[in-house]
Amino acid sequence: MYDNYIPSSVRCSTCDLGYAPADDGDRRWHATYHARVDKLAVRLGRRPAGRSEQERQKDEGDQLLRHGATLDEKLRGADLVLTALYDREVLHCLHRARPGQTPSFTCFLLTVDLAAVVGQEVAPHVLRQHGLCARGPTEERHWEEPRAVTQPGSLHSA
């Protein structure tokens, strides 16, 4: 009885959207969303990770943050976690039909409680890597002279 009511769904391997190809509305939404992801990929210089890859990155990053022997390992872990969270945020903006309002990675960092996400020890180093600094007892973030425009993944790609 419900076989005709519940269309089978698939997940696009390119944009990671789950949709029902048999449903006209879903197909149109997929085409729109897919085009948005393609435009975002051009702007970012890479395709944002889908949900399963985001979770894998977060898990790997959390392990490095907890068990990294050096600051460089912990920074690589922080970058993996923050990149996964950033990808989640920009893809969420695309779902909310606000593709022009996706934040830059640096602006995204200004909205994140870095001490809670990557730890007190690593947070100031992440900020400095992206031309930001924490100052004062409230850890107020402000702009410094940026050394370079940063993108997700820039901490561990050097």
Side-chain angles (χ1 to χ4, degrees):
M1 173 173 163
Y2 293 105
D3 289 338
N4 293 332
Y5 177 72
I6 302 173
S8 61
S9 65
V10 297
R11 184 159 300 279
C12 178
S13 61
T14 304
C15 70
D16 198 45
L17 181 72
Y19 70 102
D23 181 89
D24 288 339
D26 266 15
R27 269 198 325 275
R28 282 192 301 276
W29 170 239
H30 172 248
T32 300
Y33 182 76
H34 195 103
R36 289 176 181 175
V37 172
D38 286 344
K39 285 180 186 175
L40 180 62
V42 169
R43 195 182 104 213
L44 295 178
R46 66 179 185 80
R47 187 164 297 284
R51 276 185 280 180
S52 60
E53 178 61 15
Q54 290 168 13
E55 291 306 314
R56 189 203 62 74
Q57 284 179 324
K58 280 181 33 197
D59 291 345
E60 182 182 341
D62 283 339
Q63 288 299 314
L64 286 168
L65 281 166
R66 273 192 242 119
H67 306 295
T70 66
L71 179 60
D72 282 344
E73 285 179 348
K74 290 180 180 193
L75 283 172
R76 197 169 83 236
D79 195 51
L80 286 167
V81 169
L82 291 168
T83 299
L85 294 174
Y86 175 72
D87 286 356
R88 180 182 297 166
E89 176 63 24
V90 295
L91 291 174
H92 189 65
C93 285
L94 297 184
H95 272 287
R96 293 183 305 213
R98 293 190 268 190
Q101 294 179 2
T102 54
S104 68
F105 187 67
T106 304
C107 288
F108 169 75
L109 288 177
L110 293 171
T111 67
V112 175
D113 182 356
L114 287 175
V117 175
V118 301
Q120 227 26 64
E121 172 194 355
V122 178
H125 298 282
V126 170
L127 290 171
R128 272 194 295 281
Q129 287 283 341
H130 292 279
L132 303 166
C133 72
R135 191 161 112 175
T138 61
E139 294 292 305
E140 177 186 339
R141 294 180 189 111
H142 70 278
W143 290 105
E144 274 185 354
E145 189 85 18
R147 288 183 290 235
V149 175
T150 58
Q151 290 292 328
S154 62
L155 292 179
H156 65 270
S157 62

